[in-house]
């Protein structure tokens, strides 16, 4: 079941024999993460915020790519950074790198 609108795309995701309905919302996307304080570490928060601000101009392209097939959504759920890097939707490599670095810092901070 796939459903797309200008602001959302939905599909079914299957994992370990279970099926889940997944919806990505553009209006609940990157902008909320860009202003969130995800950890008590201000340096990690700043890196994540800068990375999401850099990614915000590409949110519509990501939503369009997600709405093209449930396979794209599944790839995004499994590894969002790799998925958008491989999607070839015009996100510059420096923005992808910024997202990778922010993700690494966030994961390291959370594991402390």
């Amino acid at each position: 079941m796939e459903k797309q609108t200008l602001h959302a795309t939905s599909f079914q995701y299957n994992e370990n024999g279970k099926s889940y309905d997944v919806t990505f919302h553009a209006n609940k996307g990157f902008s909320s993460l860009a202003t969130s304080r995800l950890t008590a570490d201000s340096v990690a928060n700043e890196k994540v915020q800068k990375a999401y601000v850099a990614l915000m101009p590409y949110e519509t392209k990501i939503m369009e790519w997600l709405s093209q097939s449930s396979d794209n959504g599944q790839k995004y759920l499994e590894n969002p950074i790799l998925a958008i890097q491989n999607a070839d939707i015009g996100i510059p490599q420096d923005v992808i790198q910024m997202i990778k670095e922010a993700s690494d810092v966030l994961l390291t901070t959370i594991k402390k």
Side-chain angles (χ1 to χ4, degrees):
M1 170 184 102
E2 290 184 38
K3 181 175 75 175
Q4 296 88 29
T5 68
L6 285 176
H7 301 289
T9 184
S10 299
F11 64 95
Q12 285 194 328
Y13 173 73
N14 297 301
E15 182 178 65
N16 298 327
K18 294 183 180 178
S19 181
Y20 304 92
D21 290 330
V22 178
T23 301
F24 291 105
H25 297 273
N27 58 349
K28 296 180 183 176
F30 304 134
S31 58
S32 63
L33 289 170
T35 58
S36 297
R37 299 204 51 80
L38 301 174
T39 73
D41 184 324
S42 62
V43 173
N45 287 331
E46 185 176 340
K47 280 194 176 285
V48 170
Q49 289 168 352
K50 285 182 178 180
Y52 279 112
V53 167
L55 191 59
M56 284 171 62
Y58 306 98
E59 185 174 18
T60 300
K61 288 183 178 187
I62 293 170
M63 291 298 292
E64 289 171 357
W65 176 77
L66 286 169
S67 70
Q68 290 173 359
S69 75
S70 59
D71 187 48
N72 290 350
Q74 180 128 358
K75 289 175 187 175
Y76 189 82
L77 283 174
E78 292 169 357
N79 188 331
I81 298 170
L82 183 62
I84 61 174
Q85 183 175 12
N86 292 337
D88 193 28
I89 54 177
I91 301 173
Q93 187 58 41
D94 62 323
V95 173
I96 298 287
Q97 189 60 38
M98 187 183 293
I99 300 296
K100 287 179 182 179
E101 290 171 8
S103 177
D104 290 343
V105 168
L106 183 60
L107 288 173
T108 301
T109 302
I110 290 171
K111 289 181 181 179
K112 287 183 181 177

